[in-house]
């Protein structure tokens, strides 16, 4: 049997279906990803998904100690998010970066990669744009029910093509090279870096700022192009999105003069150029990096307000890291927790419930930095691990927030404080009467604010333990250190023994 040469060449050169350039790159094992789809709550509190998940992510390990991570928040479809996650990887991990590159080199390569990805994406929709322009010539300005069957098919096809060329994504990408961290941001996702120190202090740094309609620098950039920034701020959105930088979104990039708030712009005001942050040296750093989609942070901020959202998410991650032995489980547990908090606020019917009627897709990527996971084989008294605590949302106050308490240190021979072994003795690591509460301080730092907060409780629930840790008895149990005698006494006084019809009898 003979095969025509052109057909043979096509068969050899055509890419295999469902296979990408990055399939052979190794995944990074030092990170975990958690996701949850969008949800709209009904009057009965039950949630339904309104559209397929549009988020994307990447987590690859390259050569020369190079690591690449990213979270993409897609909208109007997942085409741009999926495309960007594959092409950015191909533009950054296939030999473009090496250990000899300076900070300036890395920043230039990152910027070029985003530009190439955007240009390449638009090339993939060229055929759809051409077909759309061609079919538009056959559409007459009459109502749909007056169209002939053939014209109706043309209209339906035009709607399909409009969906195909629409849509975009925002992106936050983290690159680690030479043990230095670089963050490239386009849009409204978020990157947090948590650093734990040996003295129990935990600094939370919000590395990037959202490119949104309330970002002063972005408003000034738009104003320089002739856009009325006051109108943009008042509108709060541009073509349905709050972001001022995006990947894709052909209608906004090329037909901006047809959009009211952008019509006065001299050039395309919505851009895909990333803002590069870094480098941040990671030598000696113990902690973790968080990349989060806009949907995750919006859900948490809608439920509890934006004031301490960064501290809350870090406290949740630290709590799960102390209990889970899998990073994937840690990330998924945190996402599920945010989802549950959001739903509970909606179900409460209180002040913030109106803000929680729906949430978008949520994605959380956690990359640990010399931060240990929980060892399920050790008990608290054997291992002396920290157990970060975060008090859940309370219905007692409509605006209450999760506590920013980061850790409750359990005593051991060598106290482990937030992932760092210290030289503390057993007595120093064990609470004693009159000593400071064994709660680490959580410091939050971003481009606008810096705050420090710790547990507001006095620990009165727990009896003060002596300078020696309680030892397990012969059954392996530790004597209780929470005194319930007062509880039982009060309960007994309110529940006296009653007999007779319709009464219950309590027996000791």
């Amino acid at each position: 049997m003979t095969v025509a040469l052109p057909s043979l060449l096509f068969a050899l050169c055509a890419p295999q279906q469902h296979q990408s350039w990055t399939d052979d790159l190794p995944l990074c094992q030092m990170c975990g990803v958690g996701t949850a789809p969008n949800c709209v709550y009904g009057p009965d509190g039950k949630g339904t998904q309104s559209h397929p998940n549009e988020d994307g992510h990447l987590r690859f390990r390259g050569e020369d100690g190079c690591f690449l991570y990213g979270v993409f928040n897609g909208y109007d479809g997942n085409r741009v998010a999926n495309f960007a996650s594959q092409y950015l990887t191909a533009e950054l991990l296939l030999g473009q970066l090496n250990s000899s590159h300076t900070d300036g080199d890395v920043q230039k390569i990152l910027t070029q990669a985003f530009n190439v990805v955007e240009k390449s994406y638009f090339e993939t929709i060229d055929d759809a744009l051409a077909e759309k322009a061609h079919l538009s010539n056959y559409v007459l300005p009459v109502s749909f029910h007056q169209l002939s069957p053939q014209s109706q098919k043309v209209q339906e096809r035009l709607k399909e093509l409009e969906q195909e060329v629409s849509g975009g994504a925002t992106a936050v990408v983290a690159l680690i090279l030479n043990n230095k961290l670089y963050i490239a941001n386009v849009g409204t996702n978020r990157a947090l870096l948590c650093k734990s120190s040996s003295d129990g202090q935990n600094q939370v740094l919000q590395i990037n700022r959202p490119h949104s309609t309330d970002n002063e620098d972005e408003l000034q950039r738009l104003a320089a192009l002739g856009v009325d920034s006051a109108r943009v701020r008042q509108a709060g959105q541009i073509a349905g999105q709050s972001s001022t930088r995006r990947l894709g979104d052909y209608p906004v990039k090329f037909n901006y003069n047809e959009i009211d708030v952008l019509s006065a712009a001299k050039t395309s005001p919505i851009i895909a150029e990333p803002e590069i942050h870094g480098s941040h040296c990671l030598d000696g750093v113990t902690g973790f990096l968080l990349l989060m989609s806009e949907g995750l942070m919006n859900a948490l901020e809608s439920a509890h307000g934006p004031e301490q959202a960064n501290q809350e998410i870090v406290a949740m991650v630290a709590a799960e890291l102390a209990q889970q032995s899998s990073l994937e489980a840690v990330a998924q547990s945190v996402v599920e927790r945010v989802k549950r908090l959001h739903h509970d606020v909606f179900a409460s019917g209180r002040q913030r419930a109106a803000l929680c009627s729906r949430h978008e897709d949520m994605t959380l990527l956690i990359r640990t930095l010399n931060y240990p996971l929980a060892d399920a084989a050790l008990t608290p008294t054997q291992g002396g691990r920290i157990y970060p605590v975060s008090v859940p949302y309370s219905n007692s106050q409509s605006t209450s927030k999760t506590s920013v308490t980061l850790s409750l240190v359990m005593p051991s021979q060598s106290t482990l404080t937030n992932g760092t072994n210290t030289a503390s003795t057993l007595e120093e690591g064990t609470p004693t009467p009159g000593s400071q509460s064994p709660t680490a301080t959580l410091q939050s730092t971003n481009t606008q604010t810096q705050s420090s907060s710790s547990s507001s409780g006095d620990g009165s629930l727990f009896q003060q333990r002596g300078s020696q840790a309680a030892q397990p008895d012969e059954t392996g149990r530790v004597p209780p250190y929470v005194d319930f005698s007062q509880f039982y006494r009060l309960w007994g006084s309110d529940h006296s023994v009653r007999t007779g019809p319709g009464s219950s009898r309590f027996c000791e």
Side-chain angles (χ1 to χ4, degrees):
M1 182 180 67
T2 59
V3 180
L5 183 58
S7 300
L8 179 60
L9 290 174
F10 178 82
L12 292 174
C13 297
Q16 295 295 317
Q17 194 173 12
H18 307 303
Q19 187 173 4
S20 72
W21 301 335
T22 59
D23 283 348
D24 293 331
L25 286 174
L27 294 177
C28 175
Q29 302 301 317
M30 292 181 287
C31 79
V33 178
T35 64
N38 58 89
C39 186
V40 179
Y41 303 125
D44 59 356
K46 294 182 178 179
T48 57
Q49 188 173 341
S50 61
H51 58 77
N53 196 326
E54 296 169 334
D55 281 2
H57 66 270
L58 60 89
R59 45 172 172 171
F60 292 110
R61 173 173 57 86
E63 298 178 351
D64 263 350
C66 183
F67 300 87
L68 185 67
Y69 313 95
V71 167
F72 303 85
N73 176 37
Y75 59 90
D76 294 338
N78 59 8
R79 294 174 302 279
V80 179
N82 290 343
F83 184 92
S85 64
Q86 290 190 20
Y87 270 68
L88 264 178
T89 305
E91 288 296 322
L92 293 171
L93 289 188
L94 298 183
Q96 297 89 343
L97 292 163
N98 60 66
S99 58
S100 66
H101 282 134
T102 65
D103 285 354
D105 295 333
V106 173
Q107 293 170 1
K108 183 177 180 180
I109 292 171
L110 282 168
T111 300
Q112 289 177 342
F114 275 82
N115 292 334
V116 169
V117 167
E118 167 121 313
K119 181 179 178 182
S120 299
Y121 170 73
F122 286 141
E123 289 176 354
T124 67
I125 62 174
D126 276 346
D127 291 342
L129 289 170
E131 183 182 355
K132 181 173 178 286
H134 176 70
L135 292 177
S136 297
N137 296 326
Y138 296 93
V139 177
L140 298 175
V142 295
S143 61
F144 186 81
H145 68 273
Q146 294 177 327
L147 294 176
S148 66
Q150 184 176 2
S151 296
Q152 289 183 10
K153 290 182 179 180
V154 170
Q155 286 278 32
E156 292 170 357
R157 178 57 181 160
L158 282 171
K159 289 182 179 179
E160 294 175 358
L161 291 170
E162 183 66 31
Q163 285 292 320
E164 190 173 335
V165 302
S166 299
T170 57
V172 59
V173 171
L175 172 70
I176 297 178
L177 181 66
N178 295 331
N179 213 30
K180 293 192 290 186
L181 172 66
Y182 305 83
I183 297 293
N185 181 56
V186 172
T188 48
N189 301 317
R190 189 171 300 185
L192 298 180
L193 179 62
C194 177
K195 298 181 180 180
S196 300
S197 60
S198 58
D199 61 358
Q201 298 229 335
N202 297 270
Q203 185 183 44
V204 180
L205 174 67
Q206 180 174 328
I207 299 178
N208 65 319
R209 295 178 302 165
H211 298 132
S212 59
T213 54
D214 57 2
N215 181 320
E216 290 296 337
D217 290 341
E218 284 297 284
L219 290 174
Q220 291 180 16
R221 181 180 67 81
L222 295 177
L225 297 176
V227 175
D228 187 341
S229 59
R231 289 187 62 196
V232 172
R233 184 198 297 272
Q234 183 178 11
Q237 290 188 337
I238 299 173
Q241 301 296 320
S242 63
S243 56
T244 55
R245 300 194 189 196
R246 315 169 187 176
L247 289 166
D249 208 336
Y250 181 91
V252 173
K253 298 285 179 67
F254 291 90
N255 299 323
Y256 62 89
N257 55 347
E258 299 177 7
I259 300 172
D260 189 26
V261 294
L262 303 180
S263 58
K266 303 171 186 176
T267 59
S268 180
I270 307 302
I271 59 177
E273 180 181 344
E275 187 173 3
I276 311 296
H277 305 267
S279 63
H280 299 270
C281 182
L282 299 179
D283 290 338
V285 172
T286 297
F288 46 84
L289 171 71
L290 305 181
L291 301 183
M292 297 164 287
S293 67
E294 179 185 8
L296 178 70
M297 292 310 300
N298 281 352
L300 183 58
E301 292 181 355
S302 295
H304 287 174
E307 294 84 3
Q308 296 191 25
N310 289 347
Q311 295 96 319
E312 286 190 70
I313 202 74
V314 166
M316 293 180 194
V317 170
E320 295 297 336
L321 284 169
Q323 300 175 48
Q324 305 271 10
S325 57
S326 160
L327 280 171
E328 210 75 9
V330 170
Q332 191 60 44
S333 295
V334 172
V335 171
E336 292 296 333
R337 185 170 183 177
V338 173
K339 182 178 179 180
R340 185 169 61 252
L341 288 171
H342 185 269
H343 173 268
D344 288 350
V345 172
F346 171 78
S348 72
R350 292 194 168 94
Q351 183 177 350
R352 303 193 69 86
L355 303 175
C356 298
S357 61
R358 63 182 300 145
H359 66 74
E360 276 301 325
D361 304 318
M362 298 189 286
T363 300
L364 168 65
L365 186 149
I366 303 172
R367 167 53 151 93
T368 55
L369 304 167
N370 304 311
Y371 199 101
L373 285 171
D375 188 343
L378 294 177
T379 65
T381 52
Q382 291 171 330
R385 301 193 62 82
I386 50 160
Y387 284 77
V389 204
S390 184
V391 180
Y393 174 81
S394 169
N395 286 333
S396 61
Q397 298 181 14
S398 60
T399 58
S400 64
K401 306 180 186 68
T402 301
S403 166
V404 193
T405 302
L406 189 63
S407 62
L408 173 63
V409 183
M410 305 300 291
S412 71
Q413 295 295 332
S414 177
T415 302
L416 180 65
T417 306
N418 296 299
T420 303
N421 284 304
T422 70
S424 301
T425 64
L426 179 64
E427 287 74 20
E428 291 171 335
T430 307
T432 57
S435 66
Q436 185 179 0
S437 173
T439 302
T441 300
L442 178 63
Q443 296 179 333
S444 173
T445 306
N446 57 30
T447 55
Q448 298 175 341
T449 62
Q450 181 170 357
S451 63
S452 176
S453 52
S454 61
S455 174
S456 58
D458 59 4
S460 59
L461 173 66
F462 302 97
Q463 294 180 355
Q464 293 292 352
R465 306 171 73 181
S467 62
Q468 296 296 324
Q471 298 299 317
D473 58 20
E474 64 276 4
T475 66
R477 297 182 177 181
V478 177
Y481 56 94
V482 179
D483 186 1
F484 286 100
S485 58
Q486 179 70 4
F487 165 78
Y488 286 124
R489 185 162 50 252
L490 293 174
W491 187 90
S493 64
D494 292 337
H495 297 78
S496 58
V497 176
R498 294 173 295 167
T499 59
S503 66
S504 300
R505 181 173 181 87
F506 296 88
C507 303
E508 293 184 0

